[in-house]
Amino acid sequence: MSSNISITRVCNHCKNTFTARTTKTKYCSLKCSSKAYKVRQKKGKIEESNNETFLKINKVKEPVKDKDFLTVKEASLLLNMSTKTLYRLIERNDINAFNFSERKTTIRRKDIDFYFDVNLKMLEKSKLDILADYSFENSYTMQQIQDKFKISSGALYNIIMKFKIPKRKHGKYTLVKKEHIEKIFI
């Protein structure tokens, strides 16, 4: 398919200007296209080699997910956190660990799972407490505030931001406690 258009472009490889006949042309010649291809291939091989080296340095021999007892380093790789953070959790007794010697600390996989279970339950409980605190009986929806006090949505937004009034999402409604709004308008 030939084209009657001519566009001045800059070659992605040699940075020289050339006249292209299509809008998708990136290189001035087959030679530049081939050289750019070789550069991309070389970068890919270097990246693959770096990944292999990284895995060898970290010495992950067995799949960590299948082990019942983990070292601190394996646990930190599994949790994607630093070993110092994991040692802090052990020091605070958030995660149980056993010290065999100065250099050998082992963590049971069950203890890591238990740590997450406990913290997720606490998080869910706090969310339920927040939602229970905001109900339709003790709160206004945004539309109710606009109708009752005859203000625009922009003005209401500015008031909420200015006075740092807390609000909570409850389904499709945003709830604001009546006491906070009535302090401002009444």
Side-chain angles (χ1 to χ4, degrees), residues 8-171:
T8 304
R9 305 285 307 258
V10 176
C11 178
N12 284 358
H13 182 71
C14 66
K15 308 297 183 211
N16 292 332
T17 58
F18 67 99
T19 304
R21 298 194 135 206
T22 66
T23 57
K24 295 183 179 186
T25 306
K26 296 180 181 180
Y27 305 104
C28 62
S29 64
L30 181 61
K31 194 176 190 181
C32 281
S33 177
S34 298
K35 287 181 181 179
Y37 173 77
K38 286 181 182 179
V39 168
R40 284 194 309 271
Q41 292 299 314
K42 185 177 180 181
K43 284 182 182 177
K45 287 181 182 179
I46 290 171
E47 187 176 321
E48 186 179 324
S49 174
N50 288 341
N51 288 338
E52 285 178 19
T53 306
F54 176 76
L55 291 175
K56 285 181 183 178
I57 289 172
N58 289 329
K59 297 179 186 173
V60 180
K61 295 177 185 171
E62 297 178 36
V64 177
K65 294 178 182 178
D66 299 336
K67 294 174 98 178
D68 289 333
F69 296 95
L70 304 170
T71 64
V72 174
K73 188 170 186 174
E74 290 172 340
S76 68
L77 285 172
L78 177 71
L79 298 172
N80 196 20
M81 64 173 62
S82 72
T83 55
K84 285 186 176 191
T85 303
L86 201 53
Y87 277 118
R88 270 189 241 117
L89 289 172
I90 292 169
E91 194 175 299
R92 289 190 324 217
N93 292 325
D94 288 342
I95 293 180
N96 294 330
F98 186 75
N99 237 354
F100 285 105
S101 66
E102 285 182 29
R103 303 180 128 217
K104 186 70 171 178
T105 303
T106 305
I107 304 168
R108 283 190 315 178
R109 178 65 188 253
K110 290 179 184 178
D111 291 330
I112 293 174
D113 294 338
F114 179 74
Y115 173 74
F116 282 104
D117 290 341
V118 168
N119 286 325
L120 287 175
K121 286 177 185 173
M122 288 173 53
L123 183 65
E124 288 173 4
K125 184 181 176 189
S126 66
K127 281 185 179 179
L128 289 174
D129 290 345
I130 289 171
L131 287 177
D133 200 23
Y134 284 80
S135 64
F136 287 103
E137 290 81 33
N138 68 353
S139 303
Y140 289 123
T141 65
M142 300 300 251
Q143 189 62 47
Q144 287 173 338
I145 297 169
Q146 290 174 16
D147 294 342
K148 184 172 183 174
F149 299 106
K150 301 199 182 336
I151 59 171
S152 68
S153 60
L156 177 59
Y157 175 79
N158 288 334
I159 289 169
I160 288 173
M161 288 296 136
K162 180 179 178 182
F163 293 104
K164 297 179 183 169
I165 299 173
K167 58 185 189 268
R168 295 288 179 263
K169 203 79 165 129
H170 191 275

